[in-house]
Amino acid sequence: MSSYFHGIQKIRYEGAQAAGDFAFRHYNPDEIVMGKRMEDHLRFAVAYWHSLAWPGGDPFGGQTFERPWFGDTMDKARQKADAAFEMFAILGVPFFCFHDADVRPEGATLAESLGNLDEITDLFGQKMEETGTRLLWGTANLFSHRRYMSGAATNPDPDVFAYAAATVKGCMDATHRLGGQNYVLWGGREGYETLLNTDLTREADHAGRFLRMVVDYKHKIGFKGAILVEPKPQEPSKHQYDYDVATVYGFLRRFGLEGEVKLNIEAGHAILAGHSFEHELALAASLGLFGSIDMNRNDYQSGWDTDQFPDNVPEMARAYYEVLRAGGFTTGGTNFDAKIRRQSLDPEDLILAHVGAMDVCARALKAAAALLEDGALEAARKARYAGWDRPENQRILASDLASVAKGALDRGLNPRPRSGRQERLENIWNKFV
Ligand code: XUL
Ligand code: CO
């Protein structure tokens, strides 16, 4: 087996004073944070599509990368798998994630595409056993091929719905066989370009039915992982149905799926929806939907989903604070849904992008954990609502509008506003980041 990353040794934790570039300064897998190993908190995963399959194109130009495994044959797919597992070992990441289209060539028929995936699944199984790398999640690419241009589950053509169902079944089978911890559905083309040709009611019904089939199949095969929907407001569709956490919650309630499906929340998608990453995480946690995260960042000037590696510790600390408040990951993890820039041509660039991002996340996690352990913020939050802990005030919630009104008049209420103390809390926050 020839090496793609030849000369790059396994990256190790060397501490903040490390001299070279190929070292972790903050990510120390065995360090205990809030009673748990850092590796088990963060549960890092490499995204196959960005790191192994993406050719470096943009809307104005094609491929810039020249990977020896590029090409549509099974030989090339096997070569790509060799490079992938070499990379996972160098980084020491516990997990990876993939779409079917990232790992196998498209066949001439549906059966051939599924057969190709099957063969690669066997190969992954061997490699995972040899290396100990695990699968965080698998998913189906239901957005790149032209057959999906008008959607997959929401396509007006029933044949596309059926084709997508067969594809998802194949990907769920592969994920199950590899012991995947989750199965993800991101509806990149489940949305519309123009209302002039779109039947919103029908498309929602079909999307709900499709997701129900996925959930039923999970139980049928005994897949123990979580089914995760990944919200995003637009790109590639002008409007995507799984807009944000709140919208997906409404969708799940509408189809009675809220107990069956959780969310994979991506930093850049939150920003595109006009939210912060931490807003989406906190809301998902409060709705009982928090599952996993896709870690990346957008460029704040361009307004596109640029999928860059995270480089901002204070921002990521906000995110991990919400992850920790939610109790941390169970089946989920931190998947780097991030790609290097198209000018970053060298094998070293791929490795260093992950090394830097893993260090950023480790610093963010440690800051968030220290803040949570300090307790000042949570104590202030609790104190702000303390009035509600008194039994007479709990009775307000159990009462009706007229009785509450009478009580307010009888007691001659004249509430006095109290400070929200935002700047004071921001100062506490800044002591830790
Ligand atoms: C696209 C995106 C996808 C999903 C998986 O913006 O985030 O890569 O994570 O299909
Ligand atoms: Co994503």
Side-chain angles (χ1 to χ4, degrees), residues 49-50 99 137 139-141 143 184-187 230 232 235-236 264 266 269 294 296 305 307 335 337:
W49 51 103
H50 285 317
H99 303 78
W137 47 264
T139 188
N141 179 326
F143 43 88
V184 165
L185 295 115
W186 169 62
E230 183 174 325
K232 185 176 182 182
E235 253 195 80
N264 182 40
E266 178 164 328
H269 297 181
D294 269 8
N296 57 22
D305 187 24
D307 284 342
N335 170 46
D337 195 349

Short mmCIF file of all heavy atoms in Angstrom, two decimals, residues 49-50 99 137 139-141 143 184-187 230 232 235-236 264 266 269 294 296 305 307 335 337, ligand 1:
data_model
loop_
_atom_site.label_atom_id
_atom_site.label_comp_id
_atom_site.label_asym_id
_atom_site.label_seq_id
_atom_site.Cartn_x
_atom_site.Cartn_y
_atom_site.Cartn_z
N TRP A 49 -16.28 13.52 2.48
CA TRP A 49 -16.59 14.28 1.26
C TRP A 49 -15.66 15.46 1.06
O TRP A 49 -15.20 15.71 -0.06
CB TRP A 49 -18.05 14.73 1.22
CG TRP A 49 -18.59 15.43 2.43
CD1 TRP A 49 -18.80 16.77 2.58
CD2 TRP A 49 -19.02 14.83 3.67
NE1 TRP A 49 -19.32 17.04 3.83
CE2 TRP A 49 -19.47 15.88 4.50
CE3 TRP A 49 -19.05 13.52 4.14
CZ2 TRP A 49 -19.95 15.65 5.80
CZ3 TRP A 49 -19.53 13.30 5.42
CH2 TRP A 49 -19.97 14.34 6.23
N HIS A 50 -15.35 16.17 2.14
CA HIS A 50 -14.49 17.34 1.98
C HIS A 50 -13.03 16.94 1.86
O HIS A 50 -12.29 17.49 1.06
CB HIS A 50 -14.64 18.28 3.18
CG HIS A 50 -15.91 19.06 3.17
ND1 HIS A 50 -16.41 19.65 2.05
CD2 HIS A 50 -16.78 19.35 4.17
CE1 HIS A 50 -17.54 20.28 2.35
NE2 HIS A 50 -17.78 20.10 3.62
N HIS A 99 -20.83 9.93 2.83
CA HIS A 99 -21.99 9.69 1.97
C HIS A 99 -21.60 8.53 1.04
O HIS A 99 -20.42 8.39 0.68
CB HIS A 99 -22.29 10.85 1.02
CG HIS A 99 -22.52 12.20 1.63
ND1 HIS A 99 -21.51 13.00 2.08
CD2 HIS A 99 -23.66 12.91 1.80
CE1 HIS A 99 -22.01 14.14 2.53
NE2 HIS A 99 -23.32 14.12 2.36
N TRP A 137 -21.22 8.58 11.57
CA TRP A 137 -22.48 8.43 10.83
C TRP A 137 -22.25 8.22 9.35
O TRP A 137 -21.23 8.63 8.78
CB TRP A 137 -23.44 9.58 11.07
CG TRP A 137 -23.01 11.02 11.00
CD1 TRP A 137 -22.65 11.80 12.07
CD2 TRP A 137 -22.95 11.89 9.85
NE1 TRP A 137 -22.39 13.08 11.65
CE2 TRP A 137 -22.57 13.17 10.29
CE3 TRP A 137 -23.19 11.71 8.49
CZ2 TRP A 137 -22.40 14.25 9.43
CZ3 TRP A 137 -23.03 12.80 7.62
CH2 TRP A 137 -22.64 14.04 8.12
N THR A 139 -24.52 8.49 5.52
CA THR A 139 -25.64 9.21 4.93
C THR A 139 -25.66 8.96 3.42
O THR A 139 -24.68 8.46 2.86
CB THR A 139 -25.55 10.72 5.24
OG1 THR A 139 -26.76 11.37 4.79
CG2 THR A 139 -24.36 11.39 4.58
N ALA A 140 -26.77 9.32 2.79
CA ALA A 140 -26.89 9.17 1.34
C ALA A 140 -26.79 10.53 0.68
O ALA A 140 -27.36 11.50 1.18
CB ALA A 140 -28.24 8.54 1.00
N ASN A 141 -26.07 10.59 -0.41
CA ASN A 141 -26.02 11.84 -1.18
C ASN A 141 -27.24 11.86 -2.11
O ASN A 141 -27.25 11.18 -3.14
CB ASN A 141 -24.71 11.92 -1.96
CG ASN A 141 -24.62 13.18 -2.80
OD1 ASN A 141 -25.64 13.66 -3.31
ND2 ASN A 141 -23.43 13.73 -2.95
N PHE A 143 -28.43 14.67 -3.51
CA PHE A 143 -28.47 16.06 -4.01
C PHE A 143 -27.54 16.32 -5.19
O PHE A 143 -27.74 17.26 -5.93
CB PHE A 143 -28.17 17.05 -2.88
CG PHE A 143 -27.02 16.63 -1.98
CD1 PHE A 143 -25.72 16.99 -2.28
CD2 PHE A 143 -27.26 15.87 -0.84
CE1 PHE A 143 -24.67 16.60 -1.46
CE2 PHE A 143 -26.22 15.48 -0.02
CZ PHE A 143 -24.92 15.84 -0.33
N VAL A 184 -27.57 10.06 9.25
CA VAL A 184 -27.93 11.47 9.02
C VAL A 184 -28.73 11.64 7.73
O VAL A 184 -28.48 10.98 6.73
CB VAL A 184 -26.65 12.35 8.98
CG1 VAL A 184 -26.93 13.73 8.38
CG2 VAL A 184 -26.08 12.50 10.39
N LEU A 185 -29.72 12.56 7.78
CA LEU A 185 -30.43 12.97 6.57
C LEU A 185 -30.34 14.49 6.45
O LEU A 185 -30.87 15.21 7.31
CB LEU A 185 -31.90 12.56 6.62
CG LEU A 185 -32.14 11.06 6.63
CD1 LEU A 185 -32.77 10.63 7.94
CD2 LEU A 185 -33.03 10.65 5.47
N TRP A 186 -29.63 14.94 5.43
CA TRP A 186 -29.61 16.37 5.13
C TRP A 186 -30.34 16.55 3.80
O TRP A 186 -29.95 15.98 2.79
CB TRP A 186 -28.16 16.90 5.02
CG TRP A 186 -28.16 18.29 4.45
CD1 TRP A 186 -28.73 19.40 5.01
CD2 TRP A 186 -27.59 18.72 3.20
NE1 TRP A 186 -28.57 20.48 4.18
CE2 TRP A 186 -27.87 20.10 3.06
CE3 TRP A 186 -26.89 18.07 2.19
CZ2 TRP A 186 -27.47 20.83 1.96
CZ3 TRP A 186 -26.49 18.81 1.08
CH2 TRP A 186 -26.76 20.17 0.98
N GLY A 187 -31.41 17.36 3.82
CA GLY A 187 -32.25 17.50 2.63
C GLY A 187 -31.82 18.66 1.75
O GLY A 187 -32.52 19.65 1.61
N GLU A 230 -30.43 17.12 9.54
CA GLU A 230 -29.50 18.26 9.59
C GLU A 230 -30.16 19.50 8.97
O GLU A 230 -30.37 19.55 7.77
CB GLU A 230 -28.21 17.90 8.83
CG GLU A 230 -27.16 19.00 8.91
CD GLU A 230 -25.84 18.58 8.27
OE1 GLU A 230 -25.47 17.39 8.36
OE2 GLU A 230 -25.19 19.46 7.68
N LYS A 232 -30.79 23.22 7.42
CA LYS A 232 -30.06 24.25 6.66
C LYS A 232 -31.12 25.05 5.91
O LYS A 232 -32.05 24.46 5.35
CB LYS A 232 -29.09 23.59 5.68
CG LYS A 232 -28.19 24.58 4.93
CD LYS A 232 -27.17 23.87 4.04
CE LYS A 232 -26.26 24.87 3.34
NZ LYS A 232 -25.29 24.23 2.43
N GLU A 235 -29.24 26.90 -0.03
CA GLU A 235 -27.98 26.39 -0.58
C GLU A 235 -27.92 24.87 -0.45
O GLU A 235 -27.58 24.40 0.61
CB GLU A 235 -26.75 27.00 0.14
CG GLU A 235 -26.00 28.01 -0.70
CD GLU A 235 -24.63 28.30 -0.11
OE1 GLU A 235 -23.73 27.49 -0.34
OE2 GLU A 235 -24.48 29.32 0.56
N PRO A 236 -28.21 24.10 -1.47
CA PRO A 236 -28.42 24.54 -2.85
C PRO A 236 -29.82 25.04 -3.18
O PRO A 236 -29.96 25.83 -4.11
CB PRO A 236 -28.10 23.28 -3.67
CG PRO A 236 -28.45 22.16 -2.77
CD PRO A 236 -28.11 22.62 -1.38
N ASN A 264 -28.63 16.98 13.73
CA ASN A 264 -27.21 17.23 13.53
C ASN A 264 -27.09 18.70 13.17
O ASN A 264 -27.55 19.13 12.11
CB ASN A 264 -26.67 16.35 12.40
CG ASN A 264 -25.18 16.53 12.20
OD1 ASN A 264 -24.43 16.66 13.17
ND2 ASN A 264 -24.73 16.59 10.95
N GLU A 266 -25.19 22.20 12.33
CA GLU A 266 -23.94 22.68 11.72
C GLU A 266 -23.77 24.17 11.96
O GLU A 266 -24.71 24.96 11.77
CB GLU A 266 -23.95 22.36 10.22
CG GLU A 266 -22.71 22.88 9.52
CD GLU A 266 -22.50 22.25 8.15
OE1 GLU A 266 -22.88 21.06 7.96
OE2 GLU A 266 -21.95 22.94 7.28
N HIS A 269 -24.57 26.43 8.94
CA HIS A 269 -26.00 26.44 8.61
C HIS A 269 -26.77 27.34 9.57
O HIS A 269 -27.72 28.02 9.17
CB HIS A 269 -26.57 25.02 8.69
CG HIS A 269 -25.97 24.07 7.70
ND1 HIS A 269 -26.36 22.76 7.61
CD2 HIS A 269 -25.01 24.23 6.76
CE1 HIS A 269 -25.67 22.15 6.66
NE2 HIS A 269 -24.84 23.02 6.13
N ASP A 294 -21.95 19.38 13.27
CA ASP A 294 -21.04 19.55 12.15
C ASP A 294 -20.28 20.84 12.40
O ASP A 294 -20.86 21.93 12.43
CB ASP A 294 -21.81 19.62 10.82
CG ASP A 294 -21.99 18.25 10.18
OD1 ASP A 294 -21.66 17.25 10.84
OD2 ASP A 294 -22.45 18.19 9.02
N ASN A 296 -17.71 23.77 11.69
CA ASN A 296 -17.04 24.54 10.64
C ASN A 296 -17.26 26.02 10.92
O ASN A 296 -17.73 26.40 12.00
CB ASN A 296 -17.55 24.16 9.24
CG ASN A 296 -19.04 24.32 9.07
OD1 ASN A 296 -19.68 25.08 9.79
ND2 ASN A 296 -19.61 23.62 8.12
N ASP A 305 -22.05 29.50 2.36
CA ASP A 305 -21.71 28.38 3.23
C ASP A 305 -20.29 27.95 2.86
O ASP A 305 -20.11 27.03 2.07
CB ASP A 305 -22.71 27.25 2.98
CG ASP A 305 -22.54 26.11 3.95
OD1 ASP A 305 -21.99 26.34 5.04
OD2 ASP A 305 -22.94 24.99 3.62
N ASP A 307 -17.87 26.63 4.64
CA ASP A 307 -17.36 25.38 5.22
C ASP A 307 -15.86 25.43 5.55
O ASP A 307 -15.11 24.51 5.22
CB ASP A 307 -17.61 24.19 4.27
CG ASP A 307 -19.06 23.73 4.29
OD1 ASP A 307 -19.79 24.06 5.24
OD2 ASP A 307 -19.46 23.03 3.33
N ASN A 335 -18.11 16.48 14.04
CA ASN A 335 -17.69 16.12 12.69
C ASN A 335 -17.18 17.37 11.98
O ASN A 335 -17.90 18.37 11.89
CB ASN A 335 -18.87 15.53 11.92
CG ASN A 335 -18.56 15.36 10.44
OD1 ASN A 335 -17.49 14.86 10.08
ND2 ASN A 335 -19.46 15.79 9.57
N ASP A 337 -17.20 19.09 9.22
CA ASP A 337 -17.80 19.30 7.90
C ASP A 337 -17.16 20.57 7.34
O ASP A 337 -17.81 21.61 7.20
CB ASP A 337 -19.32 19.42 8.01
CG ASP A 337 -20.00 19.27 6.66
OD1 ASP A 337 -19.28 19.29 5.65
OD2 ASP A 337 -21.23 19.16 6.62
C1 XUL B 1 -24.08 20.46 3.28
C2 XUL B 1 -23.80 19.59 4.43
C3 XUL B 1 -23.74 18.11 4.16
C4 XUL B 1 -24.30 17.28 5.26
C5 XUL B 1 -24.36 15.81 4.95
O1 XUL B 1 -24.12 21.80 3.58
O2 XUL B 1 -23.59 20.04 5.52
O3 XUL B 1 -22.43 17.77 3.90
O4 XUL B 1 -23.55 17.43 6.42
O5 XUL B 1 -25.06 15.54 3.78
#
